[in-house]
Amino acid sequence: MTVRTYVSTTVLNDRLDEVLHALEDLDPDAIVGSANRSDDPDTPAGVSVSLAGDVREAVEEQLKVFPDLDCDIDVRDSEDR
């Protein structure tokens, strides 16, 4: 059984790299499932990231520095598929 934490959110393009780096600080082997960005820094970008283990509390703590950021955090194991 492999437990992973899945995070998906929408953030302005000019903050996307900051959010990705914050999540990758928790898990250097984080899997970025998607990161949709445009050339306009004020356009929302969708991002989905998968992290090893049940790290939902660490994700919430790490993303607190982005007060306007709403994200969905879901923990699943390999049997949830």
Side-chain angles (χ1 to χ4, degrees):
M1 177 169 47
T2 301
V3 175
R4 296 201 63 86
T5 300
Y6 295 86
V7 181
S8 53
T9 188
T10 301
V11 62
L12 293 179
N13 272 324
D14 64 345
R15 306 290 311 264
L16 179 61
D17 289 331
E18 292 176 67
V19 170
L20 287 174
H21 289 304
L23 293 171
E24 290 168 345
D25 283 348
L26 294 174
D27 180 2
D29 296 321
I31 299 168
V32 178
S34 67
N36 303 318
R37 75 170 80 216
S38 76
D39 294 333
D40 181 5
D42 295 325
T43 299
V47 63
S48 297
V49 179
S50 169
L51 306 153
D54 181 351
V55 293
R56 67 187 125 190
E57 290 178 11
V59 167
E60 290 171 358
E61 186 67 29
Q62 191 78 348
L63 296 181
K64 256 193 221 179
V65 298
F66 307 101
D68 297 333
L69 185 70
D70 289 325
C71 62
D72 293 321
I73 302 171
D74 186 30
V75 177
R76 299 181 221 152
D77 63 41
S78 58
E79 296 176 354
D80 285 346
R81 291 180 177 224

